[in-house]
C-alpha cells in the first residue's frame, strides 16, 4: 500500500541494485519451510521463474515454499487478464494482490477471482497476497482510522488471521503460501499504540502459521518495520517470517535497509517497496503502481482441477487444536 510520499520522476525498475549479504545468517521469525540456497553473486533476473524450495525437516503434508527473486509491483485493484497478459513484456515477474481485510483501499476487487488467480499463474506471474485488516490505533492515514485495532488485540488478531486464511483458500492459494499483513504507517512516538499493534500482529502470525500458511508483514520502514525489528532484537516470539518494508528511495536497498540488521530476515525473506505512486505502461496498458524488489516466498496456487470449481479442499489445512491466546 501507499506508505510514504510520492516520488517525482522515480527511475524505472532496475534488475540488481544491491546484493545479499555473504554467508549464512539466521532469519527472524524463521520460515516454516526453509528455502533452497541462492547464489548471492547472481543477478536478479525479473524474467526468471520462481524456484521451488527444498524443505528439510518439513512435515510430509507441508508443501515446500516457492520463492522468487526479482521485480514485483502492487496496485490497489487487481488488473484485468488483458492487462496482465500485456504486462508480461514488463520487467516485473510478481504482482501484489489485496485479497482480504476490512481496511483495503479497493475492497471490491472485481477481477480477483479463483479463475483470475489460475489464469495469471498459468501466464507465469507470481503472487504476493496482501491482507489489509485492522490498523494501528494511531495510524497516520485518516482513511484507515475507522479500522483501528480495538481493546482486545490478541483475540482480534487471531480472528483476522483465520479470516485471511479463509480468503486465501477461497482464491485457491495453497498452504505454505505467504500471506502479507499490511500495517500502514503510524505515530512513531506512541508507545502504547505500538504495543497494541505488536500484540495484534503476533496473534495474527500465530493463527496464520497454525493453519499452515507463512505470516509475512508489510509496513513503513520507519514505524511498523522498526518496531518489529526492535522486537526481534529483544527476542520476542511470533514475529513475521517475511519482511516487506516500504522506503521510497527510488532504488532498491533490499539488503541494505538501515533499520534492519544485515542478519535479519535472511535468507530469502525480504521485499523492498522502493517507489510508489508511479505510472508505467507496457503492451499499451498503463497502471499506477508501487515498485518492489524481492527475494522472498510467493503464493502456491492450487491446480484448478483440485479445487472443484474454485472451492479448495478443506483437508489441505492441517488439523490443530484451537489456539490459546498469549500476550
Amino acid at each position: 500500500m501507499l506508505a510514504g510520499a510520492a516520488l517525482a520522476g522515480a527511475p524505472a525498475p532496475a534488475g540488481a541494485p544491491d546484493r545479499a549479504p555473504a554467508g549464512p545468517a539466521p532469519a527472524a521469525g524463521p520460515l516454516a519451510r526453509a528455502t533452497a540456497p541462492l547464489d548471492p553473486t547472481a543477478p536478479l533476473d525479473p524474467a526468471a521463474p520462481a524456484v521451488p524450495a527444498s524443505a528439510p525437516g518439513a512435515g510430509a503434508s507441508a508443501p515446500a515454499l516457492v520463492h522468487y527473486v526479482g521485480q514485483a509491483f502492487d496496485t490497489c485493484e487487481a488488473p484485468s487478464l488483458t492487462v496482465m497478459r500485456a504486462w508480461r513484456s514488463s520487467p516485473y515477474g510478481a504482482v501484489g494482490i489485496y485479497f482480504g481485510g476490512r481496511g483495503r483501499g479497493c475492497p471490491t476487487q472485481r477481477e480477483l477471482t479463483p479463475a483470475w488467480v489460475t489464469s495469471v499463474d498459468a501466464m507465469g506471474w507470481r503472487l504476493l497476497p496482501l491482507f489489509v485488516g485492522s490498523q494501528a490505533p494511531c495510524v497516520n492515514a485518516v482513511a484507515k482510522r475507522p479500522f483501528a485495532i480495538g481493546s482486545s488485540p490478541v483475540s482480534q488478531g487471531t480472528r483476522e488471521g483465520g479470516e485471511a486464511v479463509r480468503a486465501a483458500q477461497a482464491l485457491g492459494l495453497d498452504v505454505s503460501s505467504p500471506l502479507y499483513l499490511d500495517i500502514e504507517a503510524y505515530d512513531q512516538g506512541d508507545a502504547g499504540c505500538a504495543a497494541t499493534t505488536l500484540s495484534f500482529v503476533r496473534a495474527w502470525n500465530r493463527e496464520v502459521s497454525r493453519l499452515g500458511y507463512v505470516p509475512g508483514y508489510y509496513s513503513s520502514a520507519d514505524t511498523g518495520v522498526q518496531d518489529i525489528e526492535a522486537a526481534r532484537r529483544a527476542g520476542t516470539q511470533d514475529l513475521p517470517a517475511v519482511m516487506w518494508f516500504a522506503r521510497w528511495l527510488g532504488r532498491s536497498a533490499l539488503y541494505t535497509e538501515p533499520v534492519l540488521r544485515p542478519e535479519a530476515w535472511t535468507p530469502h525473506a525480504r521485499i523492498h517497496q522502493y517507489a510508489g505512486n508511479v505510472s508505467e505502461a507496457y503492451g499499451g496498458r498503463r497502471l499506477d503502481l508501487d515498485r518492489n524488489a524481492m527475494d522472498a516466498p510467493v503464493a502456491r496456487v492450487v491446480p484448478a482441477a483440485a479445487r472443484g470449481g474454485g472451492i479448495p479442499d478443506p483437508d489441505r489445512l492441517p488439523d490443530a487444536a484451537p489456539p490459546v491466546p498469549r500476550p
Side-chain angles (χ1 to χ4, degrees), residues 36-104:
L38 285 177
D39 177 2
T41 66
L44 302 185
D45 180 3
V51 182
S54 60
S61 62
L65 290 178
V66 175
H67 73 262
Y68 176 78
V69 181
Q71 296 291 321
F73 76 90
D74 61 278
T75 188
C76 191
E77 187 168 352
S80 70
L81 292 177
T82 300
V83 172
M84 296 303 293
R85 193 172 294 111
W87 272 55
R88 287 306 290 156
S89 64
S90 77
Y92 300 104
V95 56
I97 53 172
Y98 292 93
F99 75 100
R102 69 192 188 113
R104 283 184 294 178

Side-chain angles (χ1 to χ4, degrees), residues 225-250:
V225 172
Q226 183 167 281
D227 286 343
I228 293 290
E229 167 66 346
R232 183 194 69 84
R233 295 182 192 182
T236 304
Q237 300 300 305
D238 304 314
L239 296 183
V242 193
M243 180 60 76
W244 187 341
F245 56 96
R247 189 184 293 283
W248 292 3
L249 303 171

